């Protein structure tokens, strides 16, 4: 577990463990409200960092606000080695929806909300997440205006590095023309391979690719092929799914989330799992299907 998949340097400057932790599941049901078990949520965060994790993903719209509050309680003052990545571009409404929030005022307010709730003077990395009410991918829009807002906040010293989320290769190039991009966060896992070309593009350009829903998200991965491969290597199906991602690209960073100490340990252990060629070939059949 100790190596956590090795490290990758964001922007060539900030080394982070390739196996990280995603904090979204620390919120209550529907990513709304406080954790079901506050003390366990704190314990999960502390054990992740004590185990060597140096990359935590969060957002002030998880809860909203509650996940960042738990992060601050558990880990502040943060270790110098820890990189906290947050995201903006959406907001929460009383009906628990996630409408886009991409205006200059909304993005500026979101950055300041994250600064305040995390208790920091500058955010390590901020991802601009594109979206619309229908949840479409790709989102047919230019990101120049909203990304330009974040680039200006970076110039002001409120953000150290920028990333993008839920984007196409063309939108990534558009963002790179405005300011350096250190990571792309898109949906990607064994079964959802629409971003295969973007994974390769990021690796070629030294940009981290961070798959959200690496284990399927709200609909966990289910596959007889995956179950068979897991049995052959003596691991759980979810460990195999994570190990496949780490072996898929050297610039892949993982942020599996959990509110369970047991599942946290299982996820971290997946970083030490080396999948043989025959297993990799069989797993690739899932995406092809």
């Amino acid at each position: 577990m100790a190596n956590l998949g090795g490290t990758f340097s964001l922007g060539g400057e900030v080394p982070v463990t390739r196996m990280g932790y995603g904090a979204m599941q620390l919120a209550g049901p529907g990513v709304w409200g406080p954790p079901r078990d506050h003390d366990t949520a704190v314990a999960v965060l502390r054990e992740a960092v004590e185990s060597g994790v140096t990359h935590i993903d969060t957002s002030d719209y998880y809860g909203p606000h509650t996940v960042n509050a738990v992060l601050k309680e558990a880990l502040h003052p943060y270790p110098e080695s820890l990189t906290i990545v947050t995201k903006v571009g959406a907001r929460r409404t009383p009906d628990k929806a996630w409408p886009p929030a991409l205006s200059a005022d909304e993005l500026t307010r979101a950055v300041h909300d994250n600064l305040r709730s995390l208790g920091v003077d500058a955010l390590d990395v901020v991802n601009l997440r594109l979206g619309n009410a229908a949840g479409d991918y790709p989102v047919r829009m230019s990101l120049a205006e909203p990304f330009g807002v974040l680039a200006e906040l970076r110039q002001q010293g409120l953000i150290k590095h920028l990333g993008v989320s839920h984007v196409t290769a063309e939108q990534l190039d558009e963002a790179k023309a405005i300011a350096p991009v250190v990571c792309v966060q898109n949906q990607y896992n064994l079964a959802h391979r629409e971003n295969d070309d973007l994974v390769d593009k990021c690796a070629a350009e030294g940009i981290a690719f961070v798959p959200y829903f690496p284990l399927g998200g709200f609909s966990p991965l289910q596959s007889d092929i995956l179950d068979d491969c897991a049995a052959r290597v003596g691991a759980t199906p979810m460990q195999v799914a994570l190990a496949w991602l780490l072996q898929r690209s050297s610039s892949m960073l993982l942020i599996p989330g959990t509110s369970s100490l047991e599942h946290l340990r299982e996820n971290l252990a997946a970083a030490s799992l080396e999948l043989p060629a025959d297993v990799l070939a069989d797993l690739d059949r899932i995406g092809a299907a």
Side-chain angles (χ1 to χ4, degrees):
M1 191 190 303
N3 69 15
L4 297 179
T7 61
F8 179 86
S9 290
L10 294 172
E13 299 176 359
V14 184
V16 297
T17 49
R18 293 184 64 213
M19 179 65 79
Y21 172 77
M24 184 177 74
Q25 292 189 31
L26 295 184
V31 200
W32 187 267
R36 290 186 179 91
D37 185 329
H38 172 271
D39 291 346
T40 298
V42 170
V44 165
L45 287 165
R46 289 177 176 166
E47 180 157 326
V49 172
E50 289 164 3
S51 298
V53 167
T54 61
H55 172 205
I56 292 180
D57 179 85
T58 187
S59 176
D60 201 49
Y61 59 67
Y62 293 162
H65 316 306
T66 58
V67 168
N68 277 2
V70 175
L71 252 171
K72 182 181 178 183
E73 176 187 349
L75 301 176
H76 195 278
Y78 306 108
E80 288 187 13
S81 60
L82 181 64
T83 295
I84 297 178
V85 179
T86 189
K87 65 187 70 62
V88 296
R91 59 186 176 88
R92 302 304 299 278
T93 54
D95 61 354
K96 303 181 183 180
W98 308 71
L102 294 166
S103 72
D105 286 346
E106 288 171 318
L107 292 171
T108 301
R109 184 163 57 249
V111 166
H112 283 278
D113 285 346
N114 277 278
L115 288 166
R116 181 169 51 252
S117 61
L118 290 171
V120 295
D121 295 325
L123 299 170
D124 293 331
V125 183
V126 175
N127 283 322
L128 173 68
R129 178 173 171 80
L130 300 187
N132 57 27
D136 295 332
Y137 179 80
V139 182
R140 302 297 183 185
M141 64 171 287
S142 166
L143 54 63
E145 186 171 336
F147 197 73
V149 172
L150 296 185
E152 174 59 29
L153 293 172
R154 175 175 170 266
Q155 289 291 327
Q156 295 174 19
L158 299 180
I159 301 170
K160 298 177 185 177
H161 299 280
L162 295 173
V164 288
S165 177
H166 207 60
V167 298
T168 63
E170 292 74 23
Q171 288 165 331
L172 169 58
D173 288 338
E174 186 181 19
K176 286 168 52 190
I178 298 168
V181 175
V182 302
C183 56
V184 170
Q185 192 176 111
N186 276 23
Q187 183 176 9
Y188 188 78
N189 55 49
L190 266 172
H192 293 90
R193 303 281 295 278
E194 299 91 337
N195 281 291
D196 263 332
D197 290 344
L198 188 53
V199 170
D200 294 335
K201 174 181 173 66
C202 286
E205 298 180 7
I207 298 171
F209 187 96
V210 189
Y212 66 79
F213 295 162
L215 298 176
F218 300 112
S219 301
L221 295 171
Q222 294 183 353
S223 164
D224 291 339
I225 296 174
L226 178 58
D227 292 343
D228 175 68
C229 288
R232 282 154 57 190
V233 299
T236 69
M238 297 301 98
Q239 284 178 318
V240 170
L242 293 174
W244 177 84
L245 285 166
L246 285 174
Q247 290 181 234
R248 168 66 180 81
S249 168
S250 61
S251 71
M252 189 83 71
L253 305 182
L254 302 191
I255 50 169
T258 180
S259 58
S260 158
L261 285 166
E262 179 184 357
H263 289 156
L264 172 69
R265 294 162 189 160
E266 179 181 310
N267 290 342
L268 298 184
S272 299
L273 184 61
E274 285 289 332
L275 303 177
D278 62 314
V279 169
L280 291 172
D282 285 344
L283 291 171
D284 281 339
R285 291 166 45 207
I286 298 174

